[in-house]
Amino acid sequence: MSRVTLSHGDGGAFSAQLVQNLFLRYLWNPYLEHLSDATILPTPNRALAVTTDSFVVQPVFFPGGDIGKLSVCGTINDLTAGGARPLYLTAAFILEEGFLLSELEQIVASMAQTAKECDVAVVAGDTKVVPRGQADGIYINTTGIGQVHRGLKLSPREIKPGDAIIVSGTLGDHGIAVLSEREGLAFQTQVKSDCAPLSSLLSAVEDLFPAVRWLRDPTRGGVAASLNELAQAAGADIILQERHLPIRPQVKAAADMLGLDPLTLANEGKMVFVVQKDSAAELLSMLKAHPLGADAVIIGTVASGSGEVLMKTEAGGTRLVEMPAGIPVPRIC
C-alpha cells in the first residue's frame, strides 16, 4: 500500500502497521515502548503522565456532545487510562476560512465548561487558519498532563489468567450517535454519545488500585481493538461472553443496518478495566455506585494462550474477535 488511506486512521490493523512500520522506525525511544494512552515520565516526587490527541469528528455537533467537549474528554480519558489525575491541557485549533464564529464560540465554551467540571486548566494554545477548501471546518489538537495516582501499576505484563475484564457501560454509543447524525438516520429513541470525562470514575475505585492491572478507554477501533492490543502485548487470550456485552438495542439495530460490529465502534465515555479475579465483584459494585459506571458489567476473563480475543457466543459456539481493519467510519473522533 503506497498511499495513506482512511483505514490508516481507524484505530485498527492498518493504524497499527503505520505506527510500527513508519513512525516507530524513526521516532522510537523507551518512552514509546508500551504505546499506551499516556506516557509516564519519572520525576523526583511523583511521576507525570502526558498524552496528545487530534480531533476531526464530522459533524462537529452531534447528539450528546460536540468537538470541543470531545477534545477535552478524550484527552482527560487518555490520562485517566494512564493511571493519572488530569491537571493541565493545551489546545491548538486549525480553522477553515469561512467557519462560523458563532459555532467556534459554542465549541470553545463547551471545552471550557468540561475542563472546569474536571478542575483542569487549559494553559496554552495556538490557532491557525487555512484557506477555504483546505480543511473541513475545524480540527482540534490537545495535549494533557496529569499526576500519576499512587498504588496503580498498569501494564499488560501485570495481567494473569483468571483476571476479569470489566467495561464501565454500554458500547458503541458514540460511534452510532455520530454516524446517525451524519447519515440522517432516525430511531424511535435517539442514540446519544457517551462523551464524558472519566477521571472521577477512576478516583471512585481508589481503594482497589492494587488489584487493577490495566486500563484503556476504547475509542477508535472500539473494544475489539483495545482488547486485541492487550492480548498481543500480554501474550494471553481474552475470552468474552457475548450474552454479557452491554449494547443498547437501538445501537445494535443501527450497527446491524450499517453492517458494523458494535465491538469495533468508538466509545468516548467508557473505560475497560482488567482486575484480579478476587477483587472483580467489589470493583464492579464500586463502579455501579458511580453515575458513569451504572451499566458496568464483567464481559470476560483472561486465559493462557497466544494473544487472541475469543467470543463465547449466545448460540454456544466460539468465534475469533479480530483486530478491526478497514472499517468505513472515518471522522468519528
Side-chain angles (χ1 to χ4, degrees):
M1 190 178 295
S2 60
R3 297 181 185 272
V4 173
T5 72
L6 288 173
S7 297
H8 286 110
D10 66 12
F14 292 113
S15 295
Q17 290 173 14
L18 186 66
V19 170
Q20 292 288 344
N21 299 337
L22 196 155
F23 293 123
L24 289 183
R25 183 154 53 94
Y26 291 95
L27 301 175
W28 187 90
N29 62 70
Y31 294 112
L32 295 176
E33 180 178 358
H34 301 297
L35 294 178
S36 55
D37 285 339
T39 295
I40 307 304
L41 304 177
T43 69
N45 296 316
R46 192 186 301 188
L48 296 178
V50 62
T51 187
T52 190
D53 208 342
S54 298
F55 299 86
V56 296
V57 66
Q58 185 59 240
V60 295
F61 299 97
F62 48 85
D66 57 71
I67 193 171
K69 179 180 180 181
L70 178 66
S71 65
V72 174
C73 291
T75 309
I76 285 174
N77 292 347
D78 281 349
L79 290 172
T80 302
R85 179 172 69 88
L87 297 174
Y88 307 108
L89 297 179
T90 71
F93 300 83
I94 297 176
L95 306 173
E96 183 183 15
E97 177 190 16
F99 193 75
L100 292 175
L101 284 172
S102 59
E103 292 190 353
L104 179 59
E105 182 175 2
Q106 186 176 343
I107 289 166
V108 175
S110 179
M111 294 178 71
Q113 179 62 33
T114 307
K116 182 179 179 181
E117 290 171 358
C118 301
D119 196 25
V120 170
V122 178
V123 296
D126 183 51
T127 304
K128 296 292 187 294
V129 178
V130 298
R132 191 185 302 267
Q134 293 189 14
D136 196 0
I138 179 173
Y139 305 146
I140 300 176
N141 174 270
T142 55
T143 294
I145 297 173
Q147 191 173 53
V148 175
H149 289 285
R150 290 190 173 95
L152 276 172
K153 189 177 181 182
L154 304 175
S155 170
R157 300 190 185 102
E158 294 296 317
I159 76 166
K160 305 286 191 299
D163 287 348
I165 312 293
I166 299 176
V167 294
S168 63
T170 54
L171 304 177
D173 296 352
H174 176 73
I176 291 301
V178 173
L179 282 172
S180 62
E181 186 73 10
R182 183 189 302 169
E183 304 299 332
L185 303 177
F187 308 101
Q188 286 185 330
T189 303
Q190 186 184 53
V191 178
K192 291 185 177 182
S193 171
D194 57 351
C195 188
L198 297 173
S199 50
S200 64
L201 182 66
L202 181 60
S203 296
V205 300
E206 184 174 5
D207 289 347
L208 287 180
F209 278 178
V212 178
R213 315 276 204 197
W214 185 84
L215 296 168
R216 181 63 57 88
D217 66 318
T219 53
R220 290 181 307 162
V223 168
S226 295
L227 292 184
N228 268 282
E229 290 172 358
L230 172 62
Q232 292 162 19
D237 286 352
I238 293 174
I239 313 298
L240 302 178
Q241 300 293 331
E242 186 175 36
R243 70 181 185 277
H244 293 159
L245 296 178
I247 301 170
R248 299 184 193 277
Q250 59 268 43
V251 169
K252 186 178 187 308
D256 288 346
M257 181 171 62
L258 295 168
L260 301 173
D261 182 348
L263 289 181
T264 66
L265 292 173
N267 309 272
E268 290 294 346
K270 301 300 187 306
M271 190 68 69
V272 179
F273 292 76
V274 178
V275 60
Q276 65 184 40
K277 179 181 179 180
D278 293 344
S279 299
E282 186 177 0
L283 182 73
L284 183 64
S285 178
M286 295 170 74
L287 290 174
K288 284 182 169 294
H290 191 283
L292 294 175
D295 296 317
V297 64
I298 298 173
I299 63 169
T301 57
V302 177
S304 299
S306 57
E308 293 183 327
V309 181
L310 303 168
M311 176 84 74
K312 297 292 185 181
T313 68
E314 292 187 272
T318 301
R319 71 173 178 88
L320 184 66
V321 178
E322 296 183 293
M323 174 69 83
I327 303 171
V329 285
R331 305 296 307 278
I332 211 76
C333 58

